[in-house]
Amino acid sequence: MDNSSILILNVDDNDGARYVKTRILQSAGFRVIEAANGTDALELARREIPALVLLDVKLPDISGIEVCRRIKADVATCTVLVLQTSAALIGRDDKIRGLDGGADNYLAAPIEADELIANVNALLRLQRTQMDLRNSEERFRQLTENIEDVFWMFNISDRRLLYASPAYERLFGRPLAQLQQAPDDWLAAVHAEDRQLVQSGWHNFLQQGHYEQEYRLGQDGAVRWVRDRGFLVRDDQQQPYRIARISSDISQRKNMEALLRQADEHKDDFLATLAHELRNPLSPIRNAVTLMNTVPAEQTEVHQHARDVIVRQVGHLTHLVDDLLDVARISQGKLTLRHEDIELHTVVEPALETVKALVESRGHTLTVDLPPQPVWLHGDPVRLAQIIGNLLHNAAKFTDPGGRIALSATLPQPDRIRIAVADNGIGITSYNLARIFNMFTQGASTQDRMHDGLGIGLSLVSRLAEMHGGSVQAYSDGIGHGSTFVLEFPLRQPVAATPAAAAAPAMAPAAPGALRLLLVDDNADSVSVMAELLTLMGHEVATAHNAEDALALARARQPDTILLDLGLPGTDGYTLARMLRAEPAFAHTRLIAHTGYGSEQDRERSRQAGFDYHLVKPANFDDLERALQSEQ
């Protein structure tokens, strides 16, 4: 350290001796201030806080020993070094009295210059070492008192607690003062089921050479997880003399691990269920195709039955995929509702239609009880019908053949509607009742093992109901006692329809006309079957499997409408649509996207690329015909 930054107070009533000592100290680079008596020395010490006081014993007002005692007793100056000097009091007892009075060293005059500087430097080195130690201890104190972990220090011989940080009370929930009186008091906070194992591991720490455990604190009502680690602290001879210990709250990590395990289990269950549900319709589809290839065409009833099976199972597959896409859109906040004023019957009737075939096939009795007066809702009619349809489908699925299902609607308040779907099916256990609206939750099976779906229908109901400002609750007295699902939605008074609008007759669908069509899809089976069907309907159809062939055919045949798959190899459907629109000959040609991509972003991209319509595979043929024949 540069001596010029070190201030020394030189106290001596002898002007000559004081001058000599000041010159010696200044020649070594120290800054020096002087006092000729004890009173001035105490005042300067308090005001200037020197690093060291060179203090003569014999002073005219106060003895140097008393000055030293007051300096060391004052909180402001207690760390100031005192080097006592005397020309007269140089005996053994004098030195002892001076050191007992608080002096850091005692020198007898006359003092050689080099001896004085050496003593001053030695005391300053000691002071720096002590200051570093105090700073280190202060940093340690601030660190341990401001971290969330509990830091402990124990004596190695008797396990006596030397220190525990304030975080102990937050984590273990017990007074720190009580721990200081009874070092094993922390064990009382350990969960009863873990206490013996933890106590054994801690007490065997020295024999095992390490200590690391994870255990619970508290009881079942409020359990927290702790990770405990202990290690030996060694002295400069590498001999252990302390035990240090760190206790960390790992409750959040444990909760995340539990959630990850649960998610992993759900993932496995979901994949197994998805594989099962995809194979279910694929098997009858394959069998139906085999049957059609085997049975002569003259057996029309057999072929018609096979076709009905294929249509029904494709519808089931489409329903599964739609549910999955809806869940993904809701989870990402991308599902948008198209709100409008709608009358209750226009929501209930489509829902009943979706479940009609299942109810009839299982011989259920379905009763519907709706208010006699018109009841108006404000929401997305498709999604509201989906909510009610999912509940009806769920009731039919989990009710044994011949069971009863009831759909009812009441008005508990003028501005609210309550819709209930009740059944006398297998019911819901109390365990499943609490989680029935969670994703991928499956209930028990009916007697005939009628159990299909991915366990996401009720989760969709709950989320869609919330998006409409409503709610859904499930009730059941347990297995064998049926279940009831109750929806509640706000009502809204609609804007009255004009008489002209009410009297307007429905427009009859236009008769389809023959069109020149170009189908573009890299799936050869898909495009060939669709081409045959459209040809049978009277259209002139050409097909292509990539963008290059499509452009060539379009230029040669000038089709009225082009159906494009978006996921073409090489140049995709979006790019091909832009290329077509860039040519004047196709500026007004109808472009229909026929694709498996059905999100709102996909639809927006297709609009920007120049498509007139966006149909999601497998497209319903009625929707396809409307897209082909409607006015642009």
Side-chain angles (χ1 to χ4, degrees):
M1 181 180 295
D2 184 6
N3 288 345
S4 63
S5 64
I6 299 173
L7 179 65
I8 296 177
L9 171 58
N10 181 16
V11 185
D12 198 323
D13 63 331
N14 187 308
D15 294 340
R18 188 174 68 249
Y19 173 78
V20 170
K21 287 185 285 187
T22 295
R23 294 295 293 172
I24 293 172
L25 292 170
Q26 288 177 337
S27 66
F30 297 107
R31 291 189 299 117
V32 183
I33 56 177
E34 297 180 343
N37 57 65
T39 302
D40 291 345
L42 289 171
E43 184 181 348
L44 282 170
R46 290 192 190 98
R47 188 173 71 236
E48 301 294 338
I49 312 295
L52 180 143
V53 177
L54 185 59
L55 181 61
D56 187 42
V57 174
K58 295 189 71 174
L59 297 173
D61 55 349
I62 308 172
S63 75
I65 292 176
E66 177 61 19
V67 172
C68 178
R69 189 192 66 77
R70 293 185 188 183
I71 289 175
K72 294 296 186 179
D74 191 333
V75 174
T77 58
C78 62
T79 60
V80 173
L81 295 168
V82 176
L83 177 55
Q84 201 98 54
T85 66
S86 178
L89 304 174
I90 59 174
R92 177 176 176 273
D93 292 340
D94 298 322
K95 292 181 179 180
I96 291 174
R97 188 165 54 252
L99 293 171
D100 286 343
D104 295 287
N105 201 358
Y106 194 105
L107 294 178
I111 308 170
E112 297 293 335
D114 54 356
E115 182 184 7
L116 176 59
I117 298 304
N119 274 270
V120 169
N121 284 333
L123 290 176
L124 290 172
R125 283 196 300 272
L126 177 62
Q127 184 187 55
R128 285 194 291 270
T129 301
Q130 291 174 338
M131 186 176 296
D132 289 343
L133 180 60
R134 282 194 298 271
N135 289 339
S136 176
E137 290 176 346
E138 178 62 20
R139 286 194 296 270
F140 169 78
R141 184 190 65 80
Q142 293 184 21
L143 176 65
T144 58
E145 291 185 1
N146 287 281
I147 61 175
E148 295 182 357
D149 295 344
V150 182
F151 184 83
W152 321 60
M153 189 70 75
F154 297 86
N155 190 39
I156 197 169
S157 58
D158 55 5
R159 300 294 180 91
R160 179 169 51 90
L161 178 67
L162 302 176
Y163 176 83
S165 63
Y168 170 80
E169 292 188 349
R170 296 194 298 269
L171 182 56
F172 284 77
R174 300 182 69 81
L176 189 56
Q178 191 169 322
L179 177 69
Q180 291 166 345
Q181 295 175 2
D184 282 346
D185 183 68
W186 62 275
L187 283 166
V190 178
H191 195 284
E193 296 177 4
D194 299 345
R195 191 172 300 148
Q196 184 176 355
L197 181 64
V198 172
Q199 186 174 14
S200 174
W202 173 243
H203 287 163
N204 293 331
F205 172 40
L206 291 180
Q207 290 82 357
Q208 296 174 350
H210 69 279
Y211 171 73
E212 183 168 351
Q213 288 184 313
E214 293 184 359
Y215 56 85
R216 293 167 292 173
L217 295 179
Q219 299 303 317
D220 295 336
V223 172
R224 281 191 290 182
W225 278 91
V226 168
R227 182 190 179 200
D228 233 351
R229 291 155 290 168
F231 54 92
L232 296 173
V233 180
R234 302 178 184 274
D235 59 19
D236 57 354
Q237 301 299 315
Q238 293 302 304
Q239 295 300 313
Y241 76 108
R242 295 280 189 270
I243 297 174
R245 175 178 165 194
I246 299 174
S247 303
S248 307
D249 188 342
I250 58 170
S251 303
Q252 187 175 7
R253 193 198 82 191
K254 284 290 186 179
N255 291 338
M256 291 302 299
E257 288 175 354
L259 290 174
L260 287 173
R261 283 194 299 271
Q262 187 179 43
D264 190 55
E265 292 171 0
H266 280 169
K267 177 206 67 177
D268 293 341
D269 291 344
F270 167 69
L271 290 176
T273 305
L274 178 61
H276 174 264
E277 294 307 319
L278 289 176
R279 290 190 182 101
N280 274 347
L282 290 176
S283 178
I285 289 174
R286 171 177 285 180
N287 292 339
V289 172
T290 302
L291 183 65
M292 294 175 73
N293 290 336
T294 304
V295 174
E298 292 77 15
Q299 297 186 23
T300 56
E301 291 186 4
V302 175
H303 279 263
Q304 183 60 47
H305 173 69
R307 286 192 292 271
D308 292 342
V309 167
I310 293 172
V311 170
R312 189 161 52 248
Q313 296 304 321
V314 168
H316 180 61
L317 276 172
T318 304
H319 179 72
L320 290 176
V321 174
D322 287 344
D323 277 356
L324 286 171
L325 291 175
D326 284 345
V327 168
R329 292 181 190 124
I330 292 175
S331 299
Q332 297 169 11
K334 296 180 179 179
L335 184 70
T336 56
L337 301 179
R338 295 175 174 84
H339 286 84
E340 59 183 81
D341 291 331
I342 43 175
E343 206 279 323
L344 178 62
H345 285 79
T346 63
V347 172
V348 172
E349 289 173 2
L352 293 171
E353 184 63 29
T354 62
V355 79
K356 179 180 178 181
L358 178 60
V359 169
E360 291 177 351
S361 68
R362 296 178 62 74
H364 293 320
T365 300
L366 174 60
T367 59
V368 180
D369 182 16
L370 302 180
Q373 73 274 24
V375 177
W376 291 87
L377 306 170
H378 185 73
D380 188 320
V382 174
R383 296 303 181 180
L384 288 172
Q386 181 182 2
I387 292 172
I388 299 173
N390 277 10
L391 291 181
L392 289 170
H393 190 274
N394 188 75
K397 182 171 64 172
F398 289 101
T399 299
D400 289 323
R404 297 188 305 277
I405 302 171
L407 170 65
S408 61
T410 57
L411 304 174
Q413 299 174 21
D415 60 344
R416 293 193 71 80
I417 184 171
R418 181 176 296 155
I419 302 171
V421 176
D423 63 66
N424 66 340
I426 62 174
I428 308 170
T429 64
S430 57
Y431 169 74
N432 276 330
L433 200 60
R435 56 192 284 272
I436 196 68
F437 295 107
N438 292 347
M439 193 70 67
F440 310 131
T441 297
Q442 295 274 16
S445 299
T446 51
Q447 293 178 4
D448 63 341
R449 303 186 64 80
M450 171 61 188
H451 188 131
D452 63 347
L454 301 175
I456 58 180
L458 291 180
S459 177
L460 274 175
V461 167
S462 176
R463 298 188 184 195
L464 288 172
E466 291 175 1
M467 292 177 70
H468 281 84
S471 63
V472 60
Q473 298 289 331
Y475 304 92
S476 177
D477 292 330
I479 295 298
H481 294 282
S483 58
T484 301
F485 289 83
V486 178
L487 291 161
E488 280 205 17
F489 291 109
L491 294 179
R492 177 165 172 174
Q493 294 300 322
V495 178
T498 62
M507 293 182 62
L515 298 171
R516 293 191 307 278
L517 305 178
L518 172 60
L519 309 184
V520 186
D521 197 320
D522 61 326
N523 187 317
D525 289 339
S526 175
V527 76
S528 64
V529 171
M530 180 175 283
E532 289 182 16
L533 288 171
L534 290 171
T535 300
L536 289 172
M537 295 170 66
H539 300 297
E540 180 185 330
V541 183
T543 63
H545 302 301
N546 55 61
E548 291 75 12
D549 293 346
L551 271 176
L553 280 171
R555 290 164 181 160
R557 304 175 70 94
Q558 295 294 309
D560 302 306
T561 300
I562 303 175
L563 280 82
L564 289 178
D565 179 32
L566 297 179
L568 295 174
T571 304
D572 62 26
Y574 298 112
T575 305
L576 178 56
R578 293 190 183 93
M579 295 167 66
L580 288 166
R581 289 300 189 208
E583 298 189 16
F586 305 113
H588 302 290
T589 302
R590 183 173 309 199
L591 297 184
I592 301 174
H594 187 224
T595 176
Y597 299 109
S599 71
E600 191 58 40
Q601 289 82 353
D602 297 322
R603 295 177 185 274
E604 181 59 29
R605 283 188 66 192
S606 66
R607 280 193 291 270
Q608 293 177 357
F611 284 97
D612 300 296
Y613 299 94
H614 187 111
L615 300 179
V616 179
K617 295 179 179 179
N620 183 289
F621 245 75
D622 291 339
D623 294 337
L624 177 59
E625 271 297 285
R626 280 192 289 271
L628 291 173
Q629 299 295 339
S630 63
E631 294 294 330
Q632 293 189 40

